[in-house]
Amino acid sequence: MPGLETSLVARRCLTFATGLVECLCFAGAVFGWASLVFVLKQEGYFSSLCINATGINSTQVLDCSRQDEQFSLVFTIASFMNNFLTLPNGFLFDRFGTTVARLVGILLYTTGTLMVAFSTSVLPNLLFPALSLLSVGGILFLMTNMQVGNLFGSHRSTIITLYNGAFDSSSALFLVIKLLFESGVSLRASFLFLSACSGIHLLRTFFLLPRNFIPYPLPDHYTYGITCSKSETLSSEVAANGNAQTAIEEAALNEDIPVKQEKSFRECLLSRFFAWHLLWLSVMQLRHYLFIGTLNPMLQRLTAGESSLVSQYTNAFAITQLCGVLCAPWNGLIMDRHKGKPRRAGESEQEADLRASVLSLFLTALQCLLFSVCASTPYLPLQYLTFILQVLNRSFLYGGNAAFISVAFPSCHFGKLYGFVMALSAVFSLLQYPCFALVKGALNGDPLYVNIGLTVLTLLAFIHPLSVYLHCRRVSSQQAKSKAISASS
């Protein structure tokens, strides 16, 4: 039925395109915090914490370190909630499906934008719940959109990483708000507009996404959306049963691979892969969060407080964030480079995916090391290179995180495992605030020693790709021995 096929392809392409726009324009806005801080300082948020202090040659200077600490705390809490609440969000998504998860996400996101809109310099503490709600609502947008990769088979990892790259690039939303503010558009008007956009999210939820899940592998003529309730119900049943039948379906496509029982959630959680992957994500995420949360005071220090230069470098940082959506697919292409090619004798699709992921994991760790070295160097013009490395690494980090979980573990546990790894890494990321306090206190504003310590810490990220590589080599060796024994007998 050519007409039906055309309709399905058009719907899937529209779902993909609108999901990309949603992630690009809304989901990860909280990570553009440095741009919003510039606006909030202009509006006088937490300005009562600035005090007169005695500077060099007994001159009077305005010390706003406590104001910076407060802004850093807002971001620390928001970034923690963004990751930690991914755990209950994952259970919510796995248990109740796409529609319920997205309705919760839309409610949280809209509430957050309204709270920012009605916050003032007199009520700056509204920023604490507002930014947290924005971050949690945004991660639900991302989580429910990543399954769209299942619609495109051999390009699955590429689309997952592309959406994660769009999530990173959405941090440029606060740059747009900053530029609009400088052009005379109020902060309240910008955030009220974002609140009104919730209507678009609702339309997409009901018309361009399934009620439950998009299964993988995808059944023939799979349909979804409110206009095809009968087909959607059938597809939902396939999705519900598909988790238990995934191994059987794959074995039917390749008779050389025996049917095996899927790992339980507990087995996945206690596996070596999960432990090293958690370490890999946690150390690099801490480096990124501390950099983003302290960018404004760092620029204040390197520019000697010159406002025009701080604004110039803040804009440059925010503009580079737009490139995340361009960088992330490179990681997906690295992970999908073996698709469509014949696999090694006796090698399963999952083993081929794991082997392809080694290069991605290694490059991500290497990028973070280079980024950390540049960020640790107190030379202002070098920060342009730091911004480029930061957005490249961040797009590889989060896209690679989701893609690795999708290939290393059963799809029925994706939401829960993604939630667990993000929640546990969030606990680790809380170290950013004591690091910031240490810099502002004992180190007198000089972050050099903290930066060196974090750079050394990022070396731990190289353990994960080495572990996966050794696993793949061990499996390959066992298959070669089995083949030799079979041939001799």
Side-chain angles (χ1 to χ4, degrees):
M1 294 182 289
L4 177 60
E5 288 294 334
T6 303
S7 175
L8 289 176
V9 170
R11 180 180 287 266
R12 290 174 189 178
C13 289
L14 187 59
T15 298
F16 164 71
T18 54
L20 189 62
V21 171
E22 186 173 81
C23 289
L24 183 61
C25 297
F26 300 96
V30 69
F31 294 104
W33 178 239
S35 297
L36 189 61
V37 165
F38 188 88
V39 175
L40 295 173
K41 283 187 173 182
Q42 296 291 317
E43 289 282 89
Y45 283 67
F46 300 118
S47 58
S48 60
L49 298 176
C50 293
I51 58 174
N52 289 318
T54 303
I56 301 172
N57 299 326
S58 300
T59 57
Q60 291 293 311
V61 295
L62 194 62
D63 180 7
C64 291
S65 58
R66 288 183 61 201
Q67 182 191 37
D68 288 335
E69 281 188 32
Q70 204 71 358
F71 282 127
S72 179
L73 184 59
V74 172
F75 180 75
T76 298
I77 294 172
S79 58
F80 171 77
M81 298 296 280
N82 173 78
N83 284 1
F84 189 76
L85 290 186
T86 305
L87 174 59
N89 287 344
F91 278 95
L92 175 73
F93 179 49
D94 283 350
R95 174 68 180 83
F96 296 104
T98 303
T99 299
V100 172
R102 283 183 61 82
L103 290 176
V104 171
I106 292 167
L107 175 63
L108 295 176
Y109 197 90
T110 306
T111 305
T113 53
L114 287 172
M115 291 181 82
V116 176
F118 292 103
S119 67
T120 63
S121 59
V122 180
L123 295 171
N125 288 327
L126 279 177
L127 292 176
F128 285 97
L131 266 291
S132 296
L133 291 171
L134 279 175
S135 64
V136 177
I139 202 68
L140 275 168
F141 287 161
L142 175 64
M143 187 181 291
T144 54
N145 275 313
M146 283 193 291
Q147 63 179 325
V148 173
N150 295 347
L151 294 173
F152 297 91
S154 60
H155 301 294
R156 185 184 181 206
S157 293
T158 302
I159 289 173
I160 289 174
T161 54
L162 181 63
Y163 275 173
N164 277 270
F167 178 84
D168 293 338
S169 293
S170 66
S171 58
L173 174 65
F174 283 171
L175 169 64
V176 175
I177 290 175
K178 173 181 177 290
L179 296 175
L180 288 172
F181 177 80
E182 292 172 341
S183 301
V185 179
S186 70
L187 190 66
R188 176 170 295 180
S190 294
F191 275 90
L192 286 176
F193 175 78
L194 291 178
S195 302
C197 289
S198 297
I200 300 173
H201 302 318
L202 285 171
L203 290 174
R204 189 167 177 275
T205 298
F206 291 114
F207 289 97
L208 290 176
L209 284 168
R211 187 175 69 249
N212 292 322
F213 312 101
I214 300 175
Y216 183 80
L218 201 66
D220 291 337
H221 307 301
Y222 174 76
T223 56
Y224 54 91
I226 204 168
T227 57
C228 46
S229 56
K230 183 177 180 181
S231 297
E232 209 271 324
T233 301
L234 176 62
S235 299
S236 298
E237 291 172 2
V238 172
N241 296 325
N243 293 329
Q245 296 178 353
T246 299
I248 298 173
E249 291 171 355
E250 289 183 354
L253 295 173
N254 189 342
E255 295 177 358
D256 295 331
I257 303 173
V259 176
K260 62 179 181 180
Q261 186 68 33
E262 295 281 23
K263 285 184 178 180
S264 69
F265 174 64
R266 185 173 182 274
E267 288 173 328
C268 293
L269 203 61
L270 298 177
S271 68
R272 187 178 68 254
F273 274 173
F274 185 84
W276 290 129
H277 187 67
L278 174 62
L279 178 67
W280 177 85
L281 175 66
S282 297
V283 296
M284 289 191 280
Q285 181 173 261
L286 175 63
R287 188 68 190 96
H288 281 273
Y289 279 4
L290 189 65
F291 178 76
I292 295 170
T294 61
L295 179 61
N296 187 267
M298 182 194 79
L299 292 177
Q300 292 278 358
R301 181 171 174 272
L302 293 179
T303 61
E306 190 175 332
S307 181
S308 61
L309 269 179
V310 172
S311 179
Q312 175 185 324
Y313 275 83
T314 301
N315 289 352
F317 171 72
I319 290 169
T320 57
Q321 300 305 297
L322 287 169
C323 298
V325 71
L326 303 177
C327 300
W330 302 349
N331 196 14
L333 291 172
I334 289 171
M335 297 192 73
D336 283 338
R337 68 187 187 279
H338 65 291
K339 298 288 177 77
K341 298 178 182 177
R343 297 197 292 267
R344 294 174 181 177
E347 184 179 53
S348 69
E349 184 177 355
Q350 185 193 37
E351 289 161 2
D353 288 342
L354 281 174
R355 183 165 49 82
S357 72
V358 173
L359 180 59
S360 166
L361 297 171
F362 172 77
L363 287 177
T364 306
L366 181 61
Q367 290 164 2
C368 189
L369 180 62
L370 295 174
F371 152 63
S372 189
V373 169
C374 290
S376 303
T377 307
Y379 180 58
L380 187 61
L382 183 63
Q383 299 316 306
Y384 286 120
L385 177 59
T386 304
F387 298 160
I388 293 169
L389 288 171
Q390 190 269 342
V391 71
L392 177 65
N393 182 235
R394 192 160 176 268
S395 62
F396 267 60
L397 177 64
Y398 289 108
N401 169 46
F404 180 80
I405 292 173
S406 73
V407 302
F409 303 104
S411 60
C412 56
H413 302 313
F414 176 80
K416 295 185 288 292
L417 288 171
Y418 183 78
F420 251 100
V421 79
M422 295 298 282
L424 294 175
S425 66
V427 176
F428 192 79
S429 72
L430 287 175
L431 289 173
Q432 64 182 296
Y433 188 70
C435 286
F436 183 81
L438 177 64
V439 170
K440 286 292 182 181
L443 298 178
N444 297 316
D446 187 355
L448 179 63
Y449 293 111
V450 169
N451 284 333
I452 290 173
L454 289 172
T455 302
V456 172
L457 192 65
T458 59
L459 294 174
L460 295 175
F462 287 95
I463 297 175
H464 186 34
L466 178 62
S467 173
V468 177
Y469 170 75
L470 292 175
H471 168 82
C472 292
R473 194 171 71 168
R474 185 167 58 251
V475 169
S476 181
S477 176
Q478 290 171 352
Q479 289 172 347
K481 286 180 182 177
S482 300
K483 189 177 179 182
I485 293 171
S486 299
S488 62
S489 60

